[in-house]
């Protein structure tokens, strides 16, 4: 394997990790506030569809992004309504949202475009263009560092860089602002937050809305950045991989970045090589596909440190009467 | 909070939730420019007014009874088993191994052996998540989701690399031997003068599903183990105080749940396709969640809800065939049923409870 191939694999790692990263941080906000969200997949999917559909209709990727975010936040609010307002089961609500998105996207796509549940392919301004960072071309002749800068660091779409910036931003919001402190408190001890006279419901709804926003970005990147258009069930379990990454990262932003890059690398390798030959021992591609899930189970089993979720996660908050 | 009378809890709440889901589904159909009344008529005609339609409806219902019961048994122990899909896939693997690699003189023997294999394989797939939940507190919802994906990858590997006959393109096993053919409704009930259930996949496994309903009822309400499962579901600390081992009960409840989900493989692999294909479960594991929620975790409720979803599935296929409405409409309806009967339960229950309380006070 030569240097150019390594660069290509790492390049696609960054691209494939981006939707995972947005979704993982989305889950982080929600679960840190005590609202478990297994509906990341559904929110990504609905955003992917509306981004692609609006971008195809208007020719503007920005309007597509907006539509994707709005649709994803709407589903978030349904989740909030069920799990915060009506104190329903958060897991069941998440499952329902995943199915709702899986069904609605194909139904509407068939009605609008009549192409068997997909949107037309996006061209030109309907997709995110790649940004060439300054000096990328000039420096590309420098050995090792030049190609590294020109191919790996430069030349991604705006959303990839936004995703990377969201990591420190999330860290800062959660650990350096008053809002973040309260948000984490509401996921650990909502009764204490309530005693301090702060609205548990309000904070949780804010967290759920941020989760919707970030899932919207994830889905939008999937359909208008990574690929050119929506096809049915295009998230293909990424929402669950993001959930796995969140557990892997033990609900911490920087570790979330690492976990998403790791899972992105696994996807990139599986995409490039069908079966990996390690001198007589062949690793089947299916093992690469399953590896994120297997690793998560190992982590959950507590063999590699203990993954302790926020204490009030999954519990609807009931004020005492 | 005001309490509801038991009959309202068992019948009225799911019924109102169902009506809400139906009303929203009608709006969705209107939204894509079709007529909900016509669509419903077409569904009823295709699924219920012809015997072949019933053959399909009951075939789907058989799947949903197994997965619905699987989710219910776990729910009684307050465990949410989302892994029915993976357990059913691995159950199908058990069926395929028994049918392909052992010689069978008669289908009855093959059915017994395949059922046992399906249950054991399904239960085995549920064992690791169950053990991790019971011993190490790993959240069973997450682990069972992960195991669904691992099951799909494993099955993909086995079908593509090991079990696919040479020269075949699609990832599936060889056709099972003719001796393992299960009688379909057509074989059982059709006569030359009266060709019933023509071409429909409904088969003798339906009766196995009914037997499973009786088994679950006996288990949950008539045995010590069932009592322990329900006690654990109500309060773990109380169960522990009463001398019930949470670890043992969690694992056993999940093994039974996985076994029931695995049994679905008998219907899909042996009863219908007569070979094991890649996506034989077709999401039935997840529909079990909706079925269990609607059926209030009672075998009778699960049976009725499974028939309803069987009707929706067959009706949805008819819609996709004759109109511009894709099959995904059923996924939307399924999502709405899960949402209203599962997550937004209180939205119906609280106003209803208030209404009943007012009625009582007036009297």
């Amino acid at each position: 394997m030569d240097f150019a191939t390594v660069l290509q694999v790492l390049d696609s790692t960054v691209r494939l990790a981006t939707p995972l990263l947005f979704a993982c941080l989305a889950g982080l906000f929600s679960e840190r506030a005590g609202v478990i969200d297994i509906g990341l997949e559904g929110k990504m999917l609905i955003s992917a569809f509306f981004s692609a559909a609006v971008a195809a209709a208007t020719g503007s990727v920005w309007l597509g992004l907006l539509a994707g975010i709005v649709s994803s936040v709407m589903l978030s609010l349904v989740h909030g309504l069920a799990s915060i307002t009506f104190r329903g089961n958060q897991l069941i609500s998440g499952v329902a949202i995943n199915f709702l998105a899986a069904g609605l996207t194909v139904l509407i796509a068939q009605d609008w475009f009549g192409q068997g549940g997909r949107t037309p392919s996006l061209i030109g301004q309907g997709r995110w263009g790649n940004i060439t960072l300054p000096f990328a071309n000039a420096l590309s002749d420098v050995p090792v560092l030049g190609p590294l800068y020109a191919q790996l660091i430069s030349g991604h779409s705006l959303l990839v860089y936004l995703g990377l910036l969201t990591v420190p931003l999330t860290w800062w919001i959660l650990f350096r602002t008053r809002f973040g402190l309260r948000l984490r408190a509401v996921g650990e001890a909502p009764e204490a937050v309530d005693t301090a006279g702060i609205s548990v419901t309000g904070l949780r709804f804010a967290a759920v809305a941020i989760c919707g926003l970030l899932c919207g970005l994830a889905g939008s990147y999937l359909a208008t950045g990574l690929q050119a258009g929506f096809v049915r069930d295009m998230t293909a379990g990424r929402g669950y991989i993001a959930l796995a990454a969140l557990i892997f990262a033990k609900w911490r932003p920087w570790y979330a970045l690492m976990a998403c890059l790791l899972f992105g690398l696994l996807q990139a390798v599986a995409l490039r090589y069908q079966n990996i030959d390690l001198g007589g021992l062949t690793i089947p591609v299916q093992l690469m596909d399953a590896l994120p899930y297997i690793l998560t189970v190992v982590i959950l089993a507590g063999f590699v440190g203990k993954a302790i979720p926020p204490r009030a996660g999954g519990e609807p908050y009931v004020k005492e009467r | 909070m005001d309490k509801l009378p038991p009959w309202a809890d068992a019948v009225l709440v799911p019924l109102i939730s169902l009506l809400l889901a139906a009303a929203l589904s009608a709006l969705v159909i209107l939204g894509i420019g079709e007529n909900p009344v016509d669509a419903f008529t077409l569904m009823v005609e295709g699924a219920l007014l012809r015997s072949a339609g019933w053959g399909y409806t009951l075939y789907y219902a058989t799947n949903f009874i197994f997965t619905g019961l699987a989710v219910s048994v776990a729910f009684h122990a307050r465990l949410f088993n989302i892994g029915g899909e993976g357990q059913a896939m691995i159950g199908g693997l058990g069926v395929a191994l028994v049918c392909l690699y052992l010689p069978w003189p008669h289908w009855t023997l093959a059915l017994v052996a395949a059922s046992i294999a399906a249950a054991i394989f399904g239960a085995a797939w549920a064992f690791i998540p169950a053990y991790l939940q019971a011993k190490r507190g790993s959240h069973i919802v997450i682990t069972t989701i992960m195991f669904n994906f691992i099951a799909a990858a494993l099955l993909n590997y086995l079908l593509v690399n090991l079990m696919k006959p040479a020269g075949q393109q699609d990832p599936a096993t060889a056709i099972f031997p003719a001796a393992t053919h299960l009688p379909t409704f057509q074989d059982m009930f059709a006569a030359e003068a009266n060709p019933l259930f023509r071409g429909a996949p409904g088969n003798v496994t339906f009766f196995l599903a009914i037997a499973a309903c009786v088994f679950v009822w006996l288990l949950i309400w008539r045995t010590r183990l069932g009592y322990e499962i329900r006690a654990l579901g109500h309060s773990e600390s109380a169960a522990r105080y009463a001398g019930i081992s949470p670890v043992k009960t969690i694992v056993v409840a999940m093994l039974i749940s996985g076994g029931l989900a695995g049994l679905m493989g008998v219907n899909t692999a042996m009863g219908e396709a007569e070979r094991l294909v890649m996506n034989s479960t077709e999401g039935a594991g997840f529909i079990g969640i909706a079925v269990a929620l609607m059926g209030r975790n009672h075998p009778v409720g699960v049976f009725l809800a499974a028939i309803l979803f069987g009707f929706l599935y067959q009706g949805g296929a008819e819609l996709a065939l004759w109109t511009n409405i894709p099959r995904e409409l059923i996924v939307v309806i399924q999502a709405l049923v899960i949402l209203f009967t599962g997550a937004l339960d209180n939205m119906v229950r609280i106003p209803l409870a208030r209404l009943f309380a007012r009625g009582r006070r007036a009297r």
Side-chain angles (χ1 to χ4, degrees):
Chain A
M1 206 166 19
D2 56 293
F3 184 58
T5 319
V6 173
L7 268 189
Q8 279 170 11
V9 169
L10 290 180
D11 184 57
S12 80
T13 298
V14 174
R15 287 166 201 270
L16 289 165
T18 299
L20 298 180
L21 183 60
F22 277 125
C24 185
L25 293 173
L28 192 113
F29 272 102
S30 185
E31 300 210 350
R32 278 283 187 165
V35 182
I36 292 183
D37 194 351
I38 55 175
L40 299 174
E41 174 93 356
K43 288 191 282 258
M44 278 169 88
L45 191 64
I46 205 153
S47 162
F49 168 69
F50 278 102
S51 303
V54 171
T58 62
S60 161
V61 71
W62 285 97
L63 285 178
L65 177 65
L66 188 71
I69 289 174
V70 168
S71 63
S72 165
V73 171
M74 296 289 273
L75 278 193
S76 270
L77 294 182
V78 171
H79 187 53
L81 188 75
S83 54
I84 305 169
T85 311
F86 287 110
R87 302 194 297 271
N89 188 320
Q90 302 172 2
L91 300 161
I92 294 176
S93 168
V95 170
I97 281 170
N98 286 340
F99 286 122
L100 198 59
L104 274 182
T105 47
V106 177
L107 213 60
I108 302 174
Q110 178 63 21
D111 183 42
W112 285 2
F113 303 105
Q115 297 184 358
R118 54 188 302 154
T119 64
S121 288
L122 298 171
I123 38 161
Q125 293 299 307
R127 275 191 80 193
W128 294 99
N130 291 336
I131 298 172
T132 309
L133 292 182
F135 314 115
N137 290 330
L139 289 174
S140 63
D141 292 334
V142 179
V144 184
L145 286 180
L148 199 71
Y149 181 71
Q151 287 180 33
L152 184 58
I153 298 177
S154 166
H156 294 291
S157 74
L158 183 67
L159 288 186
V160 173
Y161 300 111
L162 185 66
L164 293 172
L165 282 178
T166 311
V167 178
L169 187 68
T170 301
W171 175 83
W172 184 77
I173 290 175
L174 280 180
F175 297 98
R176 287 295 178 273
T177 68
R178 185 155 64 170
F179 172 72
L181 178 66
R182 288 172 174 178
L183 193 137
R184 284 183 291 130
V186 94
E188 297 286 341
E191 63 283 354
V193 178
D194 200 25
T195 314
I198 304 158
S199 163
V200 173
T201 311
L203 271 169
R204 286 197 167 163
F205 261 106
V208 164
I210 296 173
C211 171
L213 169 81
L214 290 172
C215 281
L217 286 164
S220 196
Y221 176 72
L222 206 57
T224 59
L226 198 62
Q227 285 162 39
F230 173 87
V231 290
R232 71 169 65 197
D233 199 26
M234 78 179 299
T235 41
R238 282 188 172 87
Y240 296 111
I241 296 190
L243 209 60
L246 183 61
I247 295 162
F248 216 72
K250 297 173 186 168
W251 295 269
R252 292 169 298 182
W254 286 106
Y255 292 86
L257 174 64
M258 296 303 152
C260 289
L261 284 174
L262 172 68
F263 291 167
L265 176 69
L266 290 178
Q267 287 187 346
V269 173
L271 215 61
R272 187 174 173 97
Y273 305 99
Q274 277 301 298
N275 295 309
I276 300 168
D277 209 353
L278 286 180
L281 187 75
T282 314
I283 301 177
V285 64
Q286 291 90 354
L287 183 65
M288 301 293 293
D289 289 338
L291 212 49
Y293 308 114
I294 295 173
L295 286 176
T296 306
V297 173
V298 171
I299 287 285
L300 271 173
F303 295 124
V304 195
K306 199 145 176 63
I308 302 168
R311 204 166 58 85
E315 293 288 321
Y317 180 64
V318 187
K319 253 185 211 271
E320 286 182 62
R321 300 252 165 108
Chain B
M1 211 194 301
D2 303 314
K3 269 201 104 134
L4 275 175
W7 69 270
D9 190 63
V11 179
L12 209 52
V13 175
L15 208 63
I16 294 176
S17 304
L18 188 68
L19 285 177
L20 282 171
L24 270 183
S25 309
L27 284 180
V28 171
I29 298 177
L30 272 181
I32 58 171
E34 301 275 343
N35 184 338
V37 179
D38 290 353
F40 185 68
T41 318
L42 195 62
M43 285 172 80
V44 171
E45 273 171 15
L48 305 180
L49 295 185
R50 288 182 293 120
S51 68
W54 270 103
Y56 276 95
T57 300
L58 294 181
Y59 165 73
Y60 291 124
T62 306
N63 289 340
F64 305 152
I65 290 173
F66 284 126
T67 55
L69 288 176
V71 176
S72 298
V73 169
F75 264 148
H76 277 292
R78 205 181 281 181
L79 298 165
F80 189 8
N81 176 15
I82 309 195
E85 189 78 1
Q87 290 144 17
M89 269 183 223
I90 301 299
L93 180 66
V95 173
L97 291 177
V98 163
C99 289
L100 283 173
Y101 301 114
L102 293 176
W104 294 106
H106 194 261
W107 65 267
T108 44
L109 296 172
L111 177 63
V112 172
S115 302
I116 293 171
I120 290 176
F121 272 61
W125 203 248
F127 175 72
I128 298 174
Y131 181 81
L132 291 179
Q133 168 77 56
K135 274 283 189 196
R136 309 194 69 107
S138 323
H139 205 306
I140 199 149
V141 170
I142 309 289
T143 44
T144 48
I145 290 177
M146 300 298 143
F147 265 71
N148 283 341
F149 286 102
I150 300 172
L154 177 69
L155 202 60
N156 190 347
Y157 173 75
L158 290 176
L159 287 180
V160 171
N161 297 42
L162 299 178
M163 295 177 83
K164 186 175 70 172
Q168 184 180 301
Q169 281 296 315
D170 52 335
T173 63
I175 305 277
F176 296 164
T180 65
H181 169 80
L182 293 180
T184 62
F185 289 146
Q186 187 181 0
D187 299 338
M188 286 184 281
F189 301 114
E192 239 171 78
N194 190 13
L196 285 171
F197 299 109
R198 186 154 18 160
N203 61 74
V204 69
T205 322
F206 177 66
F207 302 108
L208 186 66
I210 293 177
C213 286
V214 177
F215 163 77
V216 168
W217 181 79
L218 283 173
L219 170 82
I220 297 290
W221 282 282
R222 286 293 177 273
T223 65
R224 173 197 281 257
L225 176 65
Y227 181 78
E228 290 178 350
I229 290 175
R230 283 183 294 137
L232 182 78
H234 278 294
S235 163
E236 187 178 327
S237 51
R240 200 189 296 265
Y241 192 68
I244 296 167
S245 156
V247 172
K248 190 196 114 195
T249 312
I250 287 175
V251 171
V252 171
M254 275 303 287
L255 286 181
I256 294 169
S257 174
L260 285 165
L263 278 173
M264 193 196 112
V266 177
N267 192 37
T268 52
M270 202 174 168
E272 200 247 349
E274 308 204 343
R275 58 180 189 157
L276 184 63
V277 296
M278 196 45 230
N279 187 20
S280 60
T281 47
E282 289 182 314
F286 298 115
I287 294 168
I289 300 167
V291 167
L293 286 169
M294 262 213 75
R296 286 285 181 269
N297 300 325
H298 192 284
V300 175
V302 165
F303 179 80
L304 294 175
I307 301 273
L308 175 75
F309 270 93
F311 154 71
L312 285 176
Y313 246 62
Q314 169 55 12
E318 290 284 317
L319 281 184
L321 199 62
W322 302 110
T323 71
N324 200 20
I325 305 175
R327 263 192 103 150
E328 273 70 14
L329 175 67
I330 304 313
V331 182
V332 175
I333 297 177
Q334 173 196 343
L336 291 171
V337 168
I338 295 178
L339 191 66
F340 282 109
T341 56
L344 287 171
D345 192 50
N346 279 335
M347 194 175 83
V348 175
R349 191 179 294 269
I350 292 172
L352 209 60
R354 232 171 254 156
L355 214 65
F356 271 97
R358 195 175 303 159
R360 239 169 308 180
R361 246 172 269 135
R363 239 181 291 135

